[in-house]
Amino acid sequence: MSSESTTTPPPETSEEPILEVRNLEKHYVKSTGWLESLFADEERVRAVDGVNLSIDEGEIFSIVGESGCGKTTLGKTLLRVIESTAGEIRFKGTDLASLSDSEMQKMRQHLQIVYQDPFEALNPKRTVRGLLRQPMEIHGITDETEQRDRIYRALEDVNLLPAGDFLDRYPEELSGGQLQRVLFARALVLDPEFIVADEPSSMLDASVRARVLDLIDELRDDRNISFFIITHDIGAARYLSDRIGVMYLGRIVEMGAAAGIVDDPKHPYSKALIDSIPSPDPREPLESSGIGSEVPEPVDLPSGCRFHPRCPVATEHCREADPEWREVPSADDAVRMTECHEVEPKQTPLE
Amino acid sequence: MSKQIQERSADTAGALLSVQNLSTYYSEDETDVPVRAVDGVNFEIARGETYGLVGESGCGKSTLGLSLIRALPPQGDIVDGEIRFEGREIGQLPKSEVKDVQWADISMIYQGAQNAFNPVKTVGDQIREPLRVHNIVPEGERERRVRELLEKVNLQPDVAEQYPHELSGGMKQRAAIAMAIACEPDLLIADEPTTALDVIVQAEVLNMLQQLQDDLNFGMLVISHNLAAIMKLSDRIGVMYGGKIVESAPAETLYDAPEHPYTALLLQSLIDPRRPPDQVETIEGTPPDLRDPPSGCRFAGRCPLATEQCRDMEPPLEVVGEAHEAACFHHEEVSEL
Ligand SMILES: Nc1ncnc2c1ncn2[C@@H]1O[C@H](COP(=O)(O)OP(=O)(O)OP(=O)(O)O)[C@@H](O)[C@H]1O
Ligand SMILES: Nc1ncnc2c1ncn2[C@@H]1O[C@H](COP(=O)(O)OP(=O)(O)O)[C@@H](O)[C@H]1O
Ligand code: SF4
Ligand code: SF4
Ligand SMILES: [Mg+2]
Ligand SMILES: [Mg+2]
């Protein structure tokens, strides 16, 4: 397994990556009925199954893939919202697993997560003010003026204006897109260094979406926040990120510069995913991806390449041998990594 | 003006749903300044027609949908206007009669429907509920009907015995669709049916809605931020801004030649992976405060074409082309944006 820190263009400052992940795994043991368990081994759901990744300071990295491929689990595992079953996560060099609960709790101020579903994630009994104040209380920011300033700034950042108008509203008094932005503001009040945002723009219309994505870009520039964005919106990922990782059944199967991945995907799964994005022209019919829409559950994974049952170009070899994660040539100059037997590896020039 | 009204009443005659001057406000109590979430909206939907509704987050789309099916939260009230469904006024129906309309005549897939399922009841029990309330299918046959419905939305019949948390987002959304069509409504309102679903599942859900509509011939109001999806699915599209419908036209017309500046800018803000990011334009400024909307055109504060007139007077929704209406004093100039 090659070191991915070499896969990004060297950052201007030669600092270490803000987040580094090695062989990260999150397996769930599926609860089976006692009768079934007599006859079968316990089933393992390999939600995240060997992820390697490194994110530079100030980088925006997006992970894309179908629902159920493990994106949310990966995001939560990165910040120890759920515990991994194997692997290593380093934030600015510190191994997060080595931290005690109280140390981790302190660390959380710098590591924020914006959950996928605002309808689920926001306590309906608190007003927007209460919702935004809560994380500050937890992290000991109790000065009222300070709290107020942070709340206003965060609401302005997410374009909920006039901010004062939203403070006393309860979640049910907000529209879906407004809720989603409250959730985002909640992460911002703590002034974090790293944000995992799970589908941050799914409920926003085109114009607000573009603005929220611009906001993320501004936050990166102004506050030097690094982002791990989880999205099925490949357009947004391309618009926003420096690099994109494509995830399939618990693994990153392709990774490279954002534009490169979208314009010239190498892995058959990336291709299918990108082909299925509808164009806005009403005359063009809705395309189907050609690979069906059923993501198999990551239990009983097939041997060989885990994409082979759906892959349009699979060969006999794919059914038997695991493809290797390796660098492949790409039209852009950026480093492109993928795991597929059918993509020729990059030739290392002889010295 | 009179031409407009004539044309409207002409095609209203055969409409499945006809909404005139509808206004829905939210307020805590009488002293509260109301949020004018829907403010004087007119439109029609014909039987078998798909009407798409797009617009900036918070502009009143869900409120409009909830008004039609009379499922507003306690703070929300229809304060003015008419909702005619198959000729019958339903906007002012007393609560006791509203139940007859919900599910059986009009049903809705709510925004966030995936979470609307009761976590401790099986999917089958929940789909059975509207069947029971409306007593459409005799009790002994409901089981079979539930299975049939699940099959219609490409779910295995045994999903009926599963609990919501056992299903993926896409499956839950399909189950929500099965529930919405259980009583064979004449109008289906789908609020953000594809958000939170990945592109592949999105395409599948949309195709499914289209197919169900072909089979069952219901009228459909689809609310979505997914412009690409809405363009393909809809016969006509209404664009909402600040509580009003500011433009309405057949999908192709709207895509090719929008006549309202907001629509034009919305299309330019579309992030399409095939377009380089630097061609994406965002709309500056913020939407109007619906507690205190500006007196003239509600888009004036953000509109590149705004003039004095726009700030003083409210532009009426006018016919600007075939089946095409827009509310803009300077609609002829929009093509230059
Ligand atoms: N119960 C309520 N009390 C007060 N205001 C409300 C209530 N529900 C919604 N609103 C307000 O009404 C306006 C319209 O909300 P609505 O949910 O209809 O928007 P929407 O167009 O569906 O937005 P989105 O696309 O983000 O879902 C918003 O400004 C919202 O904050
Ligand atoms: N708590 C859990 N117990 C068992 N399986 C889970 C749990 N959470 C997620 N999974 C499974 O892990 C896989 C990945 O899920 P998730 O991370 O939510 O995917 P995504 O965010 O890409 O849609 C799915 O097969 C899902 O069913
Ligand atoms: S390794 Fe084989 S099955 Fe896997 S993606 Fe490549 S071609 Fe398809
Ligand atoms: S009426 Fe005036 S302000 Fe309103 S959209 Fe048209 S040009 Fe812009
Ligand atoms: Mg997810
Ligand atoms: Mg809504």
Side-chain angles (χ1 to χ4, degrees):
Chain A
M1 201 103 331
S2 64
S3 159
E4 264 90 63
S5 43
T6 59
T7 66
T8 33
E12 265 135 57
T13 49
S14 59
E15 287 165 85
E16 58 187 333
I18 189 156
L19 193 86
E20 222 175 344
V21 173
R22 293 271 155 261
N23 296 320
L24 192 68
E25 237 178 62
K26 174 65 188 176
H27 292 180
Y28 291 102
V29 176
K30 214 178 170 186
S31 53
T32 40
W34 66 271
L35 195 64
E36 287 165 63
S37 63
L38 283 180
F39 299 105
D41 292 335
E42 58 177 27
E43 284 195 327
R44 282 179 164 267
V45 182
R46 298 162 184 268
V48 173
D49 201 24
V51 164
N52 291 283
L53 177 70
S54 113
I55 296 171
D56 287 315
E57 203 175 305
E59 184 178 14
I60 301 176
F61 184 92
S62 290
I63 197 94
V64 301
E66 285 164 285
S67 54
C69 72
K71 306 182 296 296
T72 298
T73 308
L74 173 59
K76 288 183 178 170
T77 317
L78 284 184
L79 302 192
R80 280 189 64 193
V81 173
I82 51 182
E83 298 292 344
S84 59
T85 43
E88 191 182 272
I89 308 159
R90 290 186 177 274
F91 175 69
K92 293 178 135 180
T94 307
D95 181 1
L96 293 186
S98 71
L99 300 182
S100 69
D101 285 355
S102 65
E103 287 168 329
M104 189 61 215
Q105 182 59 28
K106 282 211 193 77
M107 190 64 112
R108 287 245 149 78
Q109 182 166 0
H110 311 295
L111 303 168
Q112 283 295 303
I113 183 161
V114 181
Y115 287 105
Q116 177 161 10
D117 192 333
F119 290 96
E120 201 172 47
L122 292 172
N123 181 344
K125 298 209 170 60
R126 282 175 184 263
T127 60
V128 169
R129 188 200 311 273
L131 288 165
L132 296 186
R133 196 187 268 160
Q134 189 191 27
M136 294 192 275
E137 304 273 336
I138 292 172
H139 288 284
I141 303 163
T142 48
D143 180 71
E144 271 192 30
T145 346
E146 171 80 21
Q147 282 190 351
R148 194 180 165 280
D149 289 351
R150 285 182 181 231
I151 289 176
Y152 272 83
R153 178 163 145 196
L155 288 176
E156 275 155 27
D157 275 345
V158 297
N159 213 28
L160 286 177
L161 293 167
D165 217 41
F166 288 91
L167 290 177
D168 295 316
R169 295 217 209 167
Y170 289 92
E172 63 161 21
E173 299 170 354
L174 297 168
S175 78
Q178 290 165 341
L179 277 178
Q180 198 161 40
R181 283 175 283 163
V182 169
L183 206 57
F184 206 96
R186 215 167 118 89
L188 292 179
V189 292
L190 290 174
D191 234 334
E193 294 175 57
F194 183 75
I195 295 182
V196 170
D198 198 351
E199 309 283 6
S201 62
S202 62
M203 287 185 203
L204 305 177
D205 67 282
S207 64
V208 178
R209 180 169 76 142
R211 288 186 67 121
V212 166
L213 300 182
D214 284 350
L215 158 76
I216 292 176
D217 201 34
E218 276 163 43
L219 289 169
R220 178 256 294 273
D221 290 347
D222 301 347
R223 302 203 205 170
N224 202 30
I225 304 177
S226 316
F227 284 91
F228 181 82
I229 311 267
I230 299 168
T231 181
H232 57 252
D233 181 348
I234 295 164
R238 180 198 162 147
Y239 179 71
L240 177 69
S241 12
D242 302 308
R243 281 185 306 151
I244 292 179
V246 180
M247 196 161 176
Y248 186 69
L249 288 188
R251 289 183 69 82
I252 296 182
V253 296
E254 182 165 6
M255 185 150 83
I261 293 267
V262 176
D263 297 343
D264 174 33
K266 301 291 184 194
H267 193 283
Y269 177 65
S270 316
K271 286 186 184 157
L273 206 58
I274 287 159
D275 284 347
S276 68
I277 304 167
S279 93
D281 190 332
R283 289 169 200 85
E284 285 174 31
L286 272 171
E287 298 288 342
S288 88
S289 63
I291 58 169
S293 67
E294 284 312 314
V295 190
E297 247 207 307
V299 201
D300 291 332
L301 286 173
S303 62
C305 172
R306 57 189 68 199
F307 186 55
H308 86 241
R310 298 170 75 193
C311 180
V313 295
T315 64
E316 204 50 53
H317 185 51
C318 303
R319 278 177 259 277
E320 284 147 19
D322 287 351
E324 197 189 328
W325 179 247
R326 55 194 181 184
E327 190 173 354
V328 299
S330 71
D332 56 0
D333 284 334
V335 179
R336 179 75 64 88
M337 305 289 293
T338 191
E339 48 180 39
C340 171
H341 293 305
E342 294 298 298
V343 184
E344 285 301 316
K346 186 168 176 167
Q347 302 297 325
T348 29
L350 297 169
E351 295 285 320
Chain B
M1 203 62 192
S2 66
K3 173 172 171 257
Q4 218 191 105
I5 289 166
Q6 267 168 23
E7 280 199 20
R8 185 167 275 134
S9 49
D11 51 37
T12 305
L16 173 67
L17 176 86
S18 145
V19 173
Q20 311 257 309
N21 197 31
L22 182 70
S23 295
T24 301
Y25 294 179
Y26 291 107
S27 54
E28 294 295 331
D29 51 56
E30 287 88 77
T31 58
D32 197 24
V33 183
V35 177
R36 295 153 73 164
V38 172
D39 210 8
V41 160
N42 294 289
F43 74 108
E44 293 91 38
I45 299 179
R47 191 171 289 278
E49 183 187 38
T50 301
Y51 190 86
L53 198 59
V54 300
E56 190 150 20
S57 170
C59 72
K61 304 177 297 298
S62 298
T63 307
L64 178 56
L66 293 170
S67 306
L68 301 181
I69 194 175
R70 299 291 312 276
L72 288 164
Q75 304 92 320
D77 254 320
I78 297 177
V79 296
D80 197 8
E82 248 182 30
I83 304 169
R84 289 197 170 272
F85 181 76
E86 296 185 310
R88 168 173 172 228
E89 215 302 310
I90 57 165
Q92 303 301 334
L93 275 188
K95 277 241 154 56
S96 55
E97 286 171 52
V98 161
K99 281 195 210 70
D100 299 338
V101 176
Q102 289 170 347
W103 298 111
D105 291 331
I106 308 181
S107 73
M108 180 155 173
I109 304 166
Y110 296 92
Q111 188 169 14
Q114 292 112 293
N115 319 303
F117 283 106
N118 182 337
V120 299
K121 279 177 145 185
T122 64
V123 172
D125 279 345
Q126 302 187 55
I127 297 179
R128 210 170 287 122
E129 187 59 18
L131 293 175
R132 192 186 62 75
V133 171
H134 290 282
N135 205 7
I136 296 218
V137 188
E139 196 172 344
E141 283 173 38
R142 283 182 203 146
E143 192 65 47
R144 191 185 47 77
R145 174 78 180 141
V146 167
R147 288 172 171 265
E148 227 174 66
L149 284 164
L150 289 171
E151 271 169 41
K152 267 211 166 73
V153 297
N154 291 345
L155 288 172
Q156 296 293 326
D158 55 11
V159 165
E161 275 83 60
Q162 291 185 303
Y163 289 89
H165 74 267
E166 296 175 86
L167 310 186
S168 71
M171 290 165 82
K172 272 189 262 185
Q173 192 63 305
R174 279 181 276 167
I177 295 174
M179 191 159 151
I181 60 168
C183 301
E184 305 203 333
D186 296 308
L187 178 69
L188 178 68
I189 303 170
D191 193 357
E192 297 288 357
T194 65
T195 42
L197 303 177
D198 65 74
V199 278
I200 291 180
V201 183
Q202 268 181 24
E204 191 211 25
V205 167
L206 294 171
N207 278 323
M208 173 177 301
L209 281 174
Q210 200 148 42
Q211 215 159 48
L212 288 170
Q213 188 187 32
D214 288 346
D215 288 357
L216 305 171
N217 198 38
F218 46 75
M220 196 153 60
L221 176 70
V222 184
I223 302 171
S224 178
H225 289 312
N226 185 337
L227 272 179
I230 227 100
M231 286 287 173
K232 294 192 189 347
L233 206 60
S234 312
D235 301 308
R236 280 186 307 138
I237 295 177
V239 181
M240 238 179 131
Y241 188 82
K244 294 183 176 292
I245 290 187
V246 295
E247 180 162 15
S248 142
E252 281 91 359
T253 313
L254 199 83
Y255 182 73
D256 293 338
E259 296 254 359
H260 193 283
Y262 173 67
T263 315
L265 295 179
L266 187 68
L267 288 169
Q268 285 170 21
S269 69
L270 192 69
I271 296 170
D272 180 30
R274 297 168 193 85
R275 260 172 45 181
D278 54 16
Q279 283 178 17
V280 176
E281 300 287 337
T282 58
I283 307 178
E284 293 304 315
T286 50
D289 178 359
L290 294 180
R291 282 209 161 94
D292 180 23
S295 51
C297 173
R298 295 193 174 177
F299 192 52
R302 305 166 78 182
C303 180
L305 301 178
T307 59
E308 203 56 42
Q309 182 191 19
C310 307
R311 278 177 268 272
D312 293 343
M313 278 196 314
E314 196 178 314
L317 194 60
E318 283 180 324
V319 176
V320 293
E322 206 188 326
H324 192 172
E325 293 174 298
C328 173
F329 292 126
H330 304 301
H331 63 89
E332 280 109 352
E333 293 161 45
V334 170
S335 58
E336 287 150 35
L337 279 178

